[in-house]
Amino acid sequence: MQSLLQETQFLMNKYHIKANKALGQNFLINEEIVEQIIESAEITQEDLVIEIGPGLGTLTKELLQKAGKVICIELDKKMIKILNERFFLYRNFEILNQDVLKVDLKELIKKEKQEGKIKQVKIVANLPYYITTPIMMKLLEEQLEIESITVMIQKEVADRLIATPGEKETGAITYTVYYYATAQGVIEAQNNAFIPEPEVTSKVITLKIRKNPPVEVKDKEVMFRIIKCAFMQRRKTLMNALVNAKVFLNKEEAIQILKEIGLPENIRAEKLTLQDFANIANKIF
Ligand code: SAM
């Protein structure tokens, strides 16, 4: 049997493919990692899987065996030709030659669900790293009707996404993920799990979308704006960052509000839980 490395090299030679760095093309060649991605996505015949950036089709091939339907979204025309030739026999395969950031995923999912054959939607991808954050934000903020997101991304970003707010390695995005999902790490992938090798270590994570948010907040947009302001000046105390950003009118107001919700004046943004930010947002609302 051909190894994944041999299969990938064969396809690259056959179609004269040189990985396009600008499109974040690093093809997976490690069988164990592929297996782990597929396993942790828990795919069934009732699922529609949306795969972002299928590339040569390494994950696609496995997804097609498990899912009711697979819709791939790939920007690179060269890959579209390869994928169509590889998978045209599969009746559950569909491909869109588009930039994932421009696809109306809400509409796409609505249409697929209306047809009645699929019950749940899961996102699976070895993401193009140059747009990891905008893709993750889109998947979460558009509040799509999806069950889970299983993705390979840079380890450093992965650790920030799956961190618990108020603990280590957090950023503004940690709070967004936590609000919309529960997240966990699956497996790390060293550089040699891909060709060409990326410059960073990678990690697979799974996000399960929450049915209900973990905190009550009158206006979540206000809360997320406050979080962004707080982390833009994360070296400053929360109070100074939020006064500078005009979230609080002045120091006196800041001191008053922090006192009312039981936070010390000198606390820094990364020490706050999501509930703390929700409390501030509710006071300001
Ligand atoms: N899934 C393949 C694998 O695991 O071997 C390839 C993964 S590669 C890291 C990322 C893929 O995303 C590439 O095929 C690239 O062409 C595609 N891509 C890059 N930007 C994209 C975009 N804006 N929309 C959709 N696909 C994109």
Side-chain angles (χ1 to χ4, degrees):
M1 212 180 75
Q2 250 189 350
S3 72
L4 203 44
L5 171 62
Q6 286 166 330
E7 189 177 71
T8 307
Q9 283 171 335
F10 168 79
L11 285 168
M12 289 178 80
N13 286 335
K14 180 175 172 195
Y15 292 97
H16 310 291
I17 297 295
K18 265 200 175 154
N20 184 337
K21 258 195 167 179
L23 287 181
Q25 289 179 352
N26 300 96
F27 304 114
L28 250 175
I29 51 159
N30 181 309
E31 281 90 355
E32 192 201 336
I33 307 265
V34 171
E35 219 176 281
Q36 289 272 340
I37 293 175
I38 302 297
E39 222 172 83
S40 54
E42 297 177 351
I43 300 156
T44 74
Q45 282 296 318
E46 294 185 329
D47 293 335
L48 161 66
V49 172
I50 299 178
E51 189 193 358
I52 301 166
L56 300 166
T58 303
L59 291 172
T60 322
K61 186 173 150 193
E62 307 302 324
L63 293 170
L64 285 167
Q65 314 288 337
K66 303 238 169 184
K69 184 164 182 180
V70 179
I71 299 181
C72 295
I73 304 173
E74 171 61 61
L75 186 58
D76 188 350
K77 266 207 173 66
K78 283 191 196 152
M79 301 296 155
I80 303 292
K81 177 174 151 54
I82 301 171
L83 294 160
N84 273 326
E85 286 189 21
R86 280 190 85 179
F87 304 125
F88 75 98
L89 283 177
Y90 286 87
R91 297 183 61 187
N92 58 344
F93 169 69
E94 201 179 304
I95 186 149
L96 304 175
N97 184 195
Q98 286 187 53
D99 175 350
V100 66
L101 294 176
K102 296 191 181 140
V103 177
D104 186 345
L105 290 173
K106 209 161 217 166
E107 191 53 36
L108 180 83
I109 290 169
K110 191 172 142 203
K111 227 179 78 206
E112 291 297 326
K113 282 205 165 169
Q114 269 169 358
E115 283 182 14
K117 288 192 201 107
I118 57 117
K119 289 213 170 112
Q120 292 163 148
V121 182
K122 292 169 182 165
I123 309 280
V124 178
N126 171 16
L127 285 182
Y129 293 175
Y130 73 105
I131 42 171
T132 301
T133 304
I135 293 176
M136 293 307 287
M137 293 303 275
K138 176 183 169 84
L139 295 176
L140 294 168
E141 289 186 334
E142 289 188 1
Q143 294 190 271
L144 306 168
E145 263 190 70
I146 56 176
E147 286 290 306
S148 64
I149 303 171
T150 303
V151 281
M152 166 88 80
I153 55 179
Q154 314 82 303
K155 179 186 174 321
E156 202 193 346
V157 180
D159 288 339
R160 207 171 317 130
L161 297 194
I162 65 175
T164 306
E167 292 176 10
K168 267 195 213 149
E169 300 184 271
T170 57
I173 199 169
T174 310
Y175 294 81
T176 307
V177 172
Y178 188 84
Y179 182 81
Y180 292 110
T182 55
Q184 66 177 45
V186 175
I187 190 170
E188 275 186 27
Q190 298 308 313
N191 310 29
N192 62 7
F194 309 84
I195 49 170
E197 293 190 9
E199 275 147 28
V200 292
T201 307
S202 305
K203 188 164 179 170
V204 179
I205 59 169
T206 292
L207 272 54
K208 295 227 160 83
I209 304 300
R210 293 182 193 272
K211 303 269 182 267
N212 298 300
V215 295
E216 262 184 48
V217 59
K218 288 177 194 143
D219 184 339
K220 70 174 180 340
E221 307 307 331
V222 171
M223 179 178 75
F224 285 124
R225 237 177 293 141
I226 295 172
I227 293 172
K228 274 186 195 136
C229 290
F231 276 88
M232 251 188 297
Q233 304 186 354
R234 63 184 299 162
R235 281 178 210 291
K236 295 212 160 86
T237 61
L238 175 81
M239 184 170 78
N240 284 338
L242 294 188
V243 171
N244 287 348
K246 310 228 178 325
V247 171
F248 295 135
L249 291 180
N250 49 44
K251 270 202 165 151
E252 290 66 45
E253 186 192 70
I255 291 169
Q256 178 64 25
I257 290 181
L258 292 183
K259 195 170 160 204
E260 280 171 23
I261 57 181
L263 291 175
E265 278 174 33
N266 61 353
I267 196 164
R268 285 174 199 280
E270 67 258 25
K271 293 280 179 232
L272 268 69
T273 63
L274 186 64
Q275 185 63 59
D276 292 329
F277 277 114
N279 292 343
I280 297 177
N282 288 340
K283 284 275 175 208
I284 282 172
F285 182 76

